[in-house]
Structure formats: C-alpha cells, structure tokens
Amino acid sequence: MALVNENYLKLPGSYLFSEIARRINQFKATNPEADIIRLGIGDVTRPLPPAVIEAMHKGVEEMGKAETFRGYGPEQGYEFLIEKIIEHDFTPRGVELSVDEVFISDGAKSDTANFQELFGVNNIMAVTDPVYPVYVDSNVMAGRTGMYDSDKGQYGKIVYLPCTEANGMKPSLPKTRVDMIYLCFPNNPTGMTLSKDELKQWVNYARENRSILLFDAAYEGYIREEGVPHSIFEIEGAREVAVEFRSFSKTAGFTGTRCAYTIVPKDVKVYDSKGEAYSLNQLWLRRQTTKFNGVSYPVQVAAAAVFSEEGQRQIKETINYYMENARIIREGLQAAGYTVFGGINAPYIWMKTPNTMGSWEFFDKLMTNAHVIGTPGAGFGANGEGYFRLTAFGTRENTLQAIERIKTRM
Amino acid sequence: MALVNENYLKLPGSYLFSEIARRINQFKATNPEADIIRLGIGDVTRPLPPAVIEAMHKGVEEMGKAETFRGYGPEQGYEFLIEKIIEHDFTPRGVELSVDEVFISDGAKSDTANFQELFGVNNIMAVTDPVYPVYVDSNVMAGRTGMYDSDKGQYGKIVYLPCTEANGMKPSLPKTRVDMIYLCFPNNPTGMTLSKDELKQWVNYARENRSILLFDAAYEGYIREEGVPHSIFEIEGAREVAVEFRSFSKTAGFTGTRCAYTIVPKDVKVYDSKGEAYSLNQLWLRRQTTKFNGVSYPVQVAAAAVFSEEGQRQIKETINYYMENARIIREGLQAAGYTVFGGINAPYIWMKTPNTMGSWEFFDKLMTNAHVIGTPGAGFGANGEGYFRLTAFGTRENTLQAIERIKTRM
C-alpha cells in the first residue's frame, strides 16, 4: 500500500492567495460593477524590455536551424549567462565568484523551496516572522518543522524571528541555536533592508555556529539608497556560510518568462554526524544534475540581454516606474495618517492597519469600500497580524487611483 | 551546526555521463584527429519544427507589449495547452481527462525526480533493471532506498525487476510487496514496449496491492506498431493507480526548450498510517503550487503549436527521420551478427556485447577502433552489464557511417 508523505498533512488547508481569490470572487459576484484595483500579489505588469525581446527572438531563431539548434544544455546553465551575471552583479561590488559557483534555474521560488533538500531533517531552521511562505511550506513538506499550532499560527520546531514595529522590522539573533537561517533583504513582505553592520552580525553568528544563511536577494534591483548591501557576499566571511538566491522576475519582468540564479560558494560546508565537512556547492550540483534539466535556451539568451547596455537602461526605467509607484503609495498612506514601512528600497509597502484592526478585516474593508485588493499581513505569519502589504507593481493610473480611494473612502 | 542530508552520501561518486565525458576527453587528448560520432546521450539533433518556431516568436512578441504581457501563470500550466494535450493525446485513445488532471512542467526529468516527494519514506519502490538512473537517484536522496552495495551495484531496499534476454526485456511482477513501481515504456534504455495485456497485469497488481504505478511515457511518440498502448490510461482501472509522465523533449525536439506534462487522475489515492485515503492529484497540486512557478509562457505557446496540423505533420517527419536511423542501426547491427533489442517502437537500440564482453570494455573498444560513442549498459544497472545502448538521434550521415565503421572495424 502506497503511503503518503505525512508531512504534507501538517500544512493548513488554504493557501494565502487562494483565500484571497475566493474572497474577491465572492465580492465580484455580488458587486459585478465594482472597478477592482489589485495591489496584492507581487506580480509585475510592465512588458519585457525591447533588448530582452530582441535577444529572445534571436534565441528562438537559432532553435529553428540545424546549425544553431541547442538540445540539452548544462543543467547549471550556460556560461555565456553566468559570466555576465558575475561581471555585472558581483565583480563591481568587490565580490569574486567563479563560474561553477553560479547555478541558473527556472525561478527563485524553485530554488528557495528545493535547497533545503541538501540538509538533514533534524536541522533547526529560523525564519523571520512575517516571512515569504515558501521557505516554511517547503520545509514542512520535508518534515523539518514539527506540527502546526493553529492557535499560534506557527510550527513547533521552527525558530521564528519577529519583525515588528518595536524592532523596526529587523530580526534579532536567535536565542537558541539554529542551523539554517532564511533571510530575505530587501524583505518580502516588509520592504525593509539591513545595513552592512546588521548583516555582518548574521554572518558572524553563522560562522560561530557553523549555520547556513539562505539569503534571498530577489529584490536587490530595487535598492535606491547608497550603502545598502545588494549581496550577502559584500559582507566579509559570508563566502563560508551563505548561499544567495537571485531572480530576473522582479528585476527584469521575468515572472512569466522564468529565470533565476543561485550562488553557492565553494567555501560553504555542511557536516555529517561525525563532523566531517562536505561542500554545499558539490551537493547542489549533484541535486541539480539529477533532478533538473536546465533553463530553456531562448530564455537564457533573453536573460543575458538584461546585462547589455540597452538592457540595463531599459530595466532601470521600469524599476524607476515601479519605485515612483512605491513613493506614491508610501507618501499617500503617510499623508492619510497610516504608519508605513518599506517602499524606499523595495517594491513593497508594509502598512499598519488602523486601530489594531485584524489583517483580514482590513482586507475586507479595503475591498468593500475602496475596491482595492492588497495582501493581509497575517498570511505571512503570526507577527504579520495587524499589518497589510501593498505592492508597487500596478500601473501608474491604478496606483494613483487606489491611493485616492484609500484617502477618501476608508 | 548545519548537518548534511546524509542520504546524498550514499550516491556513488561518478555519474554515468560524466564518466563517459572523461573517457572521451582522454581519448581525444591522445587522438586529436579522430572523427568521433556520438550515438550515446539521448539528445535530439533536428531543429524545432517551423510551426513551433513561429508560435514561440508570437509568444515572445506578446511579452513585449503591455496589453498582451503575461506575468505569473498558473503553476500547473495554461489551459490553452492542457486542452490541446487532452484533445490530441488522450481523447482519440478513449482516455477521458479533465483539465485539472494535467500538470505542465519544465521536464519529465524534474517530474519523475520530484514526484516521489509525495510518498512516505518507508514505501518500498520497484524499478526495472536496467533503468533510467533518475528514478533511483532521486529516491536515494530522499532516503527511500537503503545503502548502496557496490559489489552488486544495487541499493538494499529497492526491489529490482530484471529485464534480460531470457525474459525478452519484460519485467516480471515482484515476488515481494512493493508500493511504488516505476515503469518506462517504450523503455529507456532497452527500446522495448509492453502490450496491453502485459500492462494490464501491472494495473491489476497495483489495484490489488494499492500500489502506485509511476509510468514514464516520454517516448510514446516513437511507437510505430498498431496495438501498442501509448498511455497507461488505455488500460482499464489505471485511473485508480497510475500517474503518467510525458514530454515534448523527444517528441518535438524540446530538450533545450523545456516542456513536459504529468497526468495525475483524481481517482488515485495514497494512504496514511491509519488507512485514510488522500488524493494524489491534490498533493501534487500542493507540491507544484508551493515549489514551482510554472513554465515560461512563450514555451507553452510553442508547445501548443505542436498540436496544430502543420506541427503534427512536422514532428512526424522528424520522428520518421530518427526512426529510419533506428532501422539502419538495428538492421546494420543484426547484419553484422549482433543480438539487438528495441529500435522498432523507440529511438533506442539495446545491443548485446559480443562474447560477453563487459559494457565499459565494449565502450572503450568501440571508441578506440570505430571512433563511435555509445552508452555502456552497466550504467543503467547491474542487469545492463553486457549490453550497450545506441540512439537514433544522430544525423543520417553519422548514423550510416557509424554502422559502416562497426561493420568494418570491430
């Protein structure tokens, strides 16, 4: 008899975005005329840049001719793309990487979800709270989290690092030992960043405890302020203890095109029960060559064009567009008397609900009164309760109108 | 201290295709003039069909305009593609499927490797021997196989189903209970198929034992003979016990373009330790929505074009081209006195090495004398020893020349 992986049964039934969709559909059924503006899910709306489109056409063309056709590529990605990534994203920041430390994939969601496979099931993991749900759910499925406590909205074995108004949305070091630490900065959902000194504390902690930092930098392209680190590897010693996830999704509009990359330095080690060290880089290579078959060739050609002169200029225009939306939301909400976080170095604005209103209650009120959709903070963890996330990925017109409605109808 | 997943340490060091690459490089270093013909790795060489190229260009074009741009798609794939798959691949064979039973993915390698996650770690798995290594290695990583016995070349907890000359490369039902059964027909590496009656035995076994059949049909497009089933779901009762993996890789030349699909009927159940039943379809949906973010939109548009009238005509031309290669290899080897299997309903020819020569010894001899590369059968399992795989995916010219060399130089 085929037995189920019982860890899957620990997951609570309804996924955040399905519940949101359910409520929207219900509202639309009774209010078919409502002009709903969605600033909820973190999906981009601007088209791919012309330089990327042109390159992708070229890649497609090559696939149609016997002389230039490409079959299986390297599972870890083509060097023409890896070299551009290193040259543009890392070398200028003083980070040295070799080509076999960069792994191209179909998405940071896949990579952040799959990477935990390399670790023993008894490792203790830490996440910020609120947190991007994929880190938690993928570890639940692997059996690393203990049972779900539905009163607390937390799993028994996970160490949660609260990010609250009191600590300025910056997690403190854990009080008990942890082995795997997920950090995402610029943060989804709070939109906040950490300084070099703050990140340095985490690198030091990981070095002292031989823990691993799983650093999600999917939003680094949105950093506007000088001095905010774009990569964990800008911190001394991080090469020994950190892995970094990056993506073209938000930076270059690839949410529907699918390309990302993960940096696994050869210095990072994990240990067996006898204390013998193993290279995380070699383990990830083995995982990817066994369970993945590489990213579509035309997509990799398209991604490489992001680093051309026109590509860089074009993605910066798009990011400026979104960040102007972020400014409009942030300043609009502040003018309306709300307390807000983020929106300066990230496309997310994390707002406090008024009068300690519950996240879902605020969701319903915003939908009903203003016909604006956002994401209830409670969906990101227990400490997200009482908060609400808006994203800067809408059109300018919708963003302006949403803020106008929040000011006048709430 | 971050502990490694010790299951990874059970994997023997060298992967089949890396070892082949190593030997080729060594040979080339001392024989730089040798004109090597590769009929080893199962990668296609013909370009994508014009109908597919045209559609993919169209998909790329849409991504460049705000009005038609697509961000995140459904993780399980777009309905426009799923509907075409059902209409062309299943309905004509009397197999009824609903759209939420088909999951689009980036590859059958990913799906066959990831699907085991849904099962308890104590399930007993069966594989044919020889076998596509991904089924085994992905389960090793998950801790389901026991330790590797390097003398036997087998894992302690896996039930191996020998496919040998004596049984015509057709596996017998296991003698001890198994819960998960990987079957691949047309088979990689043997190129053999099973009849409806033979498949029916497996469906019956699975129904009687509440086991799951993990059926890999990646090569169904190469079936030429009438009456050979293309899908496990042509067998009565299979909807209750089987999952089927399919791919555009070999059928339409997508090895470098990346698109595949997996059928998970809503009738298939797995059980918890109390005997309560769970829907495998719902579990896979949860897995994919949590750990995967869908296939690139232009790639899905390209895949849908495979089912257009021109697309179908064009992929059939390419398959005919490869299957003429298969005939040349098969008949050429037979004329030269070799015993061969496959090559009639599959792009693989499985040959017996002469005089019980070892697989790797034959590999070296073929490379040294004929400058032809194939794949040692031993790389596919203990019962592959003494066999050798050639593929029909080369060019016509190379295929003819390889057979000529085998006839005259071996």
Side-chain angles (χ1 to χ4, degrees):
Chain A
M1 184 167 82
L3 293 176
V4 67
N5 172 355
E6 296 201 8
N7 295 309
Y8 270 68
L9 311 180
K10 298 172 189 165
L11 292 163
S14 176
Y15 183 63
L16 175 61
F17 292 106
S18 333
E19 176 59 20
I20 292 174
R22 194 190 63 75
R23 293 193 188 209
I24 296 173
N25 288 336
Q26 202 171 34
F27 177 74
K28 277 162 84 175
T30 44
N31 300 273
E33 305 296 301
D35 175 23
I36 291 173
I37 297 176
R38 291 164 189 264
L39 301 179
I41 197 164
D43 196 4
V44 299
T45 52
R46 306 291 300 161
L48 290 182
V52 168
I53 292 291
E54 191 187 326
M56 197 162 176
H57 276 309
K58 207 174 139 278
V60 172
E61 210 51 41
E62 287 179 49
M63 296 301 264
K65 301 200 178 90
E67 315 83 74
T68 50
F69 174 76
R70 307 254 186 159
Y72 292 123
E75 286 95 342
Q76 59 274 43
Y78 280 104
E79 286 200 10
F80 68 76
L81 175 55
I82 293 174
E83 282 165 1
K84 285 205 161 55
I85 288 170
I86 295 173
E87 182 189 328
H88 285 263
D89 282 3
F90 295 97
T91 311
R93 301 193 169 273
V95 178
E96 279 179 42
L97 293 174
S98 61
V99 290
D100 51 358
E101 295 180 315
V102 180
F103 296 79
I104 309 296
S105 82
D106 66 314
K109 184 179 177 188
S110 310
D111 283 356
T112 55
N114 289 330
F115 209 87
Q116 50 75 28
E117 278 184 33
L118 307 186
F119 298 97
V121 78
N122 292 321
N123 284 351
I124 302 293
M125 61 178 278
V127 293
T128 60
D129 179 6
V131 68
Y132 175 50
V134 169
Y135 313 149
V136 172
D137 290 358
S138 58
N139 277 285
V140 174
M141 291 168 168
R144 206 173 278 108
T145 62
M147 296 303 290
Y148 187 68
D149 179 334
S150 57
D151 291 337
K152 281 190 180 169
Q154 297 191 329
Y155 289 89
K157 274 184 67 183
I158 296 180
V159 172
Y160 291 90
L161 308 168
C163 293
T164 61
E165 194 178 2
N167 63 17
M169 302 294 156
K170 298 182 178 200
S172 305
L173 293 177
K175 291 185 185 66
T176 54
R177 182 187 58 82
V178 299
D179 309 306
M180 299 158 59
I181 304 160
Y182 288 87
L183 294 177
C184 172
F185 291 99
N187 188 259
N188 173 17
T190 70
M192 298 297 277
T193 54
L194 293 190
S195 70
K196 271 198 179 176
D197 284 346
E198 287 160 345
L199 280 178
K200 179 75 180 139
Q201 290 181 20
W202 287 97
V203 170
N204 289 347
Y205 175 91
R207 293 178 76 181
E208 283 157 22
N209 293 280
R210 295 202 275 184
S211 314
I212 304 290
L213 300 179
L214 299 150
F215 191 78
D216 187 345
Y219 300 95
E220 65 80 27
Y222 290 84
I223 295 173
R224 317 283 279 189
E225 293 180 317
E226 291 293 319
V228 176
H230 287 238
S231 167
I232 188 76
F233 300 116
E234 292 178 50
I235 313 302
E236 199 198 323
R239 267 190 66 88
E240 294 165 30
V241 291
V243 167
E244 181 165 300
F245 304 102
R246 291 215 176 186
S247 173
F248 292 97
S249 282
K250 309 301 162 79
T251 314
F254 273 54
T255 53
T257 305
R258 313 302 315 139
C259 198
Y261 45 109
T262 290
I263 314 298
V264 192
K266 282 184 272 190
D267 303 351
V268 187
K269 298 277 186 279
V270 281
Y271 302 87
D272 68 13
S273 46
K274 293 172 198 140
E276 200 173 325
Y278 296 87
S279 158
L280 205 54
N281 177 286
Q282 282 304 299
L283 290 161
W284 185 241
L285 178 67
R286 183 69 203 232
R287 195 270 170 208
Q288 292 298 80
T289 51
T290 301
K291 301 178 76 171
F292 182 62
N293 232 336
V295 172
S296 184
Y297 172 71
V299 171
Q300 293 192 61
V301 174
V306 168
F307 299 106
S308 68
E309 209 172 296
E310 313 79 62
Q312 285 292 300
R313 191 175 42 73
Q314 290 161 1
I315 67 163
K316 272 173 194 144
E317 267 173 34
T318 303
I319 290 174
N320 287 345
Y321 177 93
Y322 292 137
M323 289 309 288
E324 174 62 11
N325 286 349
R327 188 193 63 76
I328 290 164
I329 297 171
R330 183 183 161 86
E331 295 183 0
L333 291 175
Q334 282 175 327
Y338 294 96
T339 303
V340 299
F341 298 88
I344 294 172
N345 295 306
Y348 294 124
I349 292 90
W350 187 241
M351 62 183 287
K352 233 181 127 173
T353 59
N355 312 314
T356 68
M357 189 185 288
S359 292
W360 281 105
E361 194 187 337
F362 187 75
F363 174 91
D364 288 334
K365 189 175 172 196
L366 190 66
M367 178 168 67
T368 309
N369 293 359
H371 303 174
V372 171
I373 306 294
T375 311
F380 297 100
N383 281 290
E385 181 55 280
Y387 290 88
F388 201 77
R389 190 189 77 173
L390 291 172
T391 82
F393 292 127
T395 62
R396 179 65 38 78
E397 192 193 346
N398 278 349
T399 304
L400 285 165
Q401 207 178 354
I403 293 303
E404 186 55 31
R405 290 189 198 166
I406 291 172
K407 283 180 176 170
T408 55
R409 303 195 202 166
M410 292 294 288
Chain B
M1 184 168 82
L3 293 177
V4 67
N5 173 354
E6 295 201 8
N7 295 308
Y8 270 66
L9 312 180
K10 298 173 188 166
L11 291 163
S14 177
Y15 183 62
L16 175 61
F17 293 106
S18 333
E19 176 58 20
I20 292 174
R22 196 189 62 76
R23 293 193 187 209
I24 296 172
N25 288 337
Q26 202 171 34
F27 178 74
K28 276 162 85 175
T30 46
N31 300 271
E33 304 296 300
D35 176 25
I36 291 174
I37 296 176
R38 292 165 187 262
L39 300 179
I41 198 164
D43 196 3
V44 299
T45 53
R46 306 290 301 160
L48 290 181
V52 168
I53 293 290
E54 193 188 324
M56 198 162 175
H57 276 308
K58 208 175 137 279
V60 172
E61 211 51 42
E62 288 179 50
M63 297 300 264
K65 300 197 179 94
E67 316 83 74
T68 50
F69 174 76
R70 308 253 186 159
Y72 291 122
E75 285 95 342
Q76 60 274 42
Y78 280 105
E79 286 202 10
F80 69 76
L81 175 56
I82 293 174
E83 281 165 2
K84 285 206 160 52
I85 287 169
I86 294 173
E87 181 188 329
H88 285 263
D89 282 3
F90 294 96
T91 311
R93 302 193 169 273
V95 178
E96 279 180 42
L97 292 174
S98 61
V99 290
D100 51 359
E101 295 180 316
V102 180
F103 296 79
I104 309 296
S105 82
D106 66 316
K109 184 180 179 187
S110 311
D111 284 356
T112 55
N114 289 332
F115 208 86
Q116 49 75 29
E117 279 184 34
L118 307 186
F119 298 97
V121 78
N122 292 321
N123 284 351
I124 302 292
M125 62 177 277
V127 292
T128 60
D129 178 6
V131 68
Y132 175 51
V134 169
Y135 313 147
V136 172
D137 290 358
S138 58
N139 277 285
V140 173
M141 291 167 166
R144 206 173 279 109
T145 62
M147 296 304 288
Y148 186 66
D149 179 335
S150 56
D151 291 338
K152 281 190 179 168
Q154 297 191 329
Y155 289 89
K157 275 183 65 184
I158 295 180
V159 172
Y160 291 89
L161 309 168
C163 293
T164 61
E165 194 177 2
N167 63 18
M169 303 294 157
K170 297 181 178 202
S172 305
L173 292 176
K175 291 185 184 67
T176 55
R177 182 187 58 81
V178 299
D179 309 305
M180 298 158 61
I181 303 161
Y182 288 87
L183 294 176
C184 172
F185 290 98
N187 188 260
N188 173 18
T190 71
M192 299 296 278
T193 54
L194 292 190
S195 69
K196 273 200 178 175
D197 285 347
E198 287 160 344
L199 280 178
K200 178 74 179 141
Q201 290 179 21
W202 287 97
V203 170
N204 289 347
Y205 175 93
R207 292 178 75 181
E208 283 156 22
N209 293 278
R210 295 202 274 182
S211 315
I212 303 289
L213 300 178
L214 299 150
F215 191 78
D216 187 346
Y219 299 96
E220 64 79 27
Y222 290 84
I223 294 172
R224 317 283 279 188
E225 292 181 318
E226 291 293 319
V228 176
H230 287 237
S231 167
I232 188 76
F233 301 116
E234 293 178 49
I235 312 302
E236 198 199 324
R239 269 189 67 88
E240 295 165 29
V241 290
V243 166
E244 182 165 299
F245 304 102
R246 292 216 175 185
S247 173
F248 292 96
S249 282
K250 308 302 162 77
T251 314
F254 272 55
T255 53
T257 305
R258 314 303 315 140
C259 197
Y261 46 108
T262 289
I263 315 298
V264 191
K266 282 184 273 189
D267 303 351
V268 187
K269 299 278 187 281
V270 282
Y271 302 87
D272 68 13
S273 47
K274 294 172 200 140
E276 200 173 323
Y278 296 87
S279 158
L280 205 54
N281 177 287
Q282 282 305 299
L283 291 161
W284 185 240
L285 178 67
R286 183 69 203 232
R287 194 269 170 209
Q288 291 299 81
T289 50
T290 302
K291 299 178 76 170
F292 181 61
N293 231 335
V295 171
S296 184
Y297 172 71
V299 171
Q300 292 192 62
V301 175
V306 168
F307 299 107
S308 67
E309 209 172 299
E310 313 79 60
Q312 285 292 299
R313 191 175 42 72
Q314 290 161 2
I315 68 162
K316 271 173 195 143
E317 267 172 34
T318 303
I319 290 174
N320 287 345
Y321 178 93
Y322 292 136
M323 288 310 287
E324 174 62 10
N325 287 349
R327 189 194 62 76
I328 289 165
I329 298 171
R330 183 182 159 86
E331 295 183 1
L333 291 175
Q334 282 176 327
Y338 293 97
T339 302
V340 299
F341 298 88
I344 293 172
N345 295 307
Y348 294 124
I349 292 89
W350 187 242
M351 62 184 286
K352 232 181 128 175
T353 59
N355 312 314
T356 67
M357 189 186 288
S359 292
W360 282 104
E361 194 188 337
F362 186 76
F363 173 90
D364 288 334
K365 191 177 170 195
L366 190 66
M367 178 168 66
T368 310
N369 293 359
H371 303 173
V372 171
I373 307 293
T375 311
F380 298 100
N383 281 292
E385 181 55 279
Y387 289 89
F388 201 77
R389 190 189 77 173
L390 291 173
T391 82
F393 292 126
T395 62
R396 178 65 38 78
E397 193 192 346
N398 278 349
T399 304
L400 286 164
Q401 207 178 354
I403 293 302
E404 185 56 31
R405 291 189 197 166
I406 291 173
K407 283 181 176 169
T408 54
R409 302 194 202 167
M410 293 294 286

